[in-house]
């Protein structure tokens, strides 16, 4: 309730300031108040979306609509949606050219990437890199999201996936600690698993798997020149 009240208080205060002093505010001041309203509205929207997603995960009502799709599509959409939050970070994507299609729900998998990228941006210093990579193994695709932050405190590799766990790193007070929990629920609903570990040389890395099971993907029809 505190996390929901905070952005609402900012929105209310900024809107009241606009209403009461609209004629006397400078264009710069008006722009700052409008920007505050927009930013906090987006923050509240993320909080509410996470709460609703958590309810779907816990009640088992999370519906996965799988289609055989390229992984890079979900990554691309997530990077676009996270554009503002990733400013100051260099994001690298390394996918092999022969990475197979995977049966996945694109909308849900986009949310997994958004949650992992948001987590990396939240706990790592500005100027550090975030790397997304993937590899194919026997019957499975393994995806990794790695950062160059302080890493995961020893013993917290599993607890960080628990509901409302904000971690003990920098800026841990931001968010409500549901992103990783929701990501685990989505990955498990796909039949995969997700885990976290520390990187050699520093930083954390989150990995998850997507099983390559189910009906074979339909062949892509050849284009007919007309």
């Amino acid at each position: 309730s505190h996390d929901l009240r905070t952005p609402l208080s900012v929105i209310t205060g900024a809107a009241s300031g606009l209403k009461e002093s609209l004629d006397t505010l400078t264009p710069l001041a008006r722009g700052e108040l409008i920007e505050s309203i927009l930013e906090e509205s987006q923050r509240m929207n993320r909080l509410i979306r996470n709460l609703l997603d958590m309810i779907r995960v816990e009640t088992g009502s999370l519906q996965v609509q799988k289609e055989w799709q390229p992984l890079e599509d979900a990554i691309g959409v997530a990077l676009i949606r996270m554009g503002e939050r990733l400013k100051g970070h260099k994001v690298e994507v390394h996918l092999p050219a022969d990475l197979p299609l995977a049966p996945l729900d694109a909308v849900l998998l986009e949310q997994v990437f958004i949650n992992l990228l948001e987590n990396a941006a939240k706990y790592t210093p500005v100027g550090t890199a975030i790397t997304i990579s993937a590899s194919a193994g026997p019957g499975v695709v393994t995806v990794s999201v790695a950062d160059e932050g302080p890493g995961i405190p020893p013993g917290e590799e599993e607890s960080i996936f628990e509901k409302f766990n904000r971690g003990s790193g920098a800026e841990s007070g931001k968010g409500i600690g549901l992103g990783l929990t929701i990501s685990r629920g989505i990955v498990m609903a796909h039949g995969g698993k997700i885990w976290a570990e520390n990187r050699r040389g520093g930083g954390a890395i989150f990995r998850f798997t997507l099983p390559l099971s189910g009906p074979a993907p339909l062949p892509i029809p050849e284009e007919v020149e007309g």
Side-chain angles (χ1 to χ4, degrees), residues 34-51:
I34 292 172
E35 185 65 25
S36 294
I37 292 173
L38 179 60
E39 288 181 358
E40 295 303 317
S41 297
Q42 292 172 340
R43 179 184 175 191
M44 177 169 276
N45 182 59
R46 290 194 301 270
L47 292 172
I48 293 173
R49 185 183 64 242
N50 279 340
L51 288 170

Side-chain angles (χ1 to χ4, degrees), residues 1-32:
S1 61
H2 169 76
D3 288 292
L4 289 171
R5 285 197 302 267
T6 300
L8 184 58
S9 297
V10 175
I11 293 168
T12 302
S16 297
L18 281 174
K19 181 180 179 181
E20 295 171 1
S21 308
L22 185 59
D23 295 333
T24 59
L25 289 172
T26 64
L28 177 60
R30 285 198 300 269
E32 290 177 346

Side-chain angles (χ1 to χ4, degrees), residues 81-101:
R81 291 178 57 187
M82 284 292 296
E84 286 296 321
R85 301 296 304 278
L86 292 173
K87 281 186 175 179
H89 289 276
K90 179 182 179 182
V91 180
E92 300 178 353
V93 180
H94 302 294
L95 302 179
D98 59 350
L99 190 70
L101 300 178

Side-chain angles (χ1 to χ4, degrees), residues 93-206:
V93 180
H94 302 294
L95 302 179
D98 59 350
L99 190 70
L101 300 178
L104 54 90
D105 185 314
V107 174
L108 292 178
L109 197 65
E110 288 160 17
Q111 191 59 48
V112 172
F113 281 115
I114 288 171
N115 289 345
L116 294 179
L117 289 168
E118 189 170 39
N119 187 75
K122 185 190 306 179
Y123 289 99
T124 59
V126 173
T128 56
I130 299 171
T131 305
I132 302 172
S133 58
S135 61
V140 69
V141 167
T142 302
V143 184
S144 301
V145 178
D147 63 52
E148 298 178 346
I152 305 166
E156 292 188 18
E157 293 87 351
E158 179 63 26
S159 64
I160 57 176
F161 289 96
E162 295 176 359
K163 185 170 56 176
F164 301 125
N165 187 313
R166 302 180 191 225
S168 57
E171 297 193 46
S172 59
K174 292 188 177 182
I176 53 177
L178 289 179
L180 293 180
T181 311
I182 293 167
S183 296
R184 169 168 282 185
I186 292 174
V187 170
M188 291 178 64
H190 277 78
K193 61 180 181 178
I194 185 171
W195 67 97
E197 57 193 54
N198 284 312
R199 301 175 65 186
R200 292 180 180 177
I205 183 166
F206 289 81

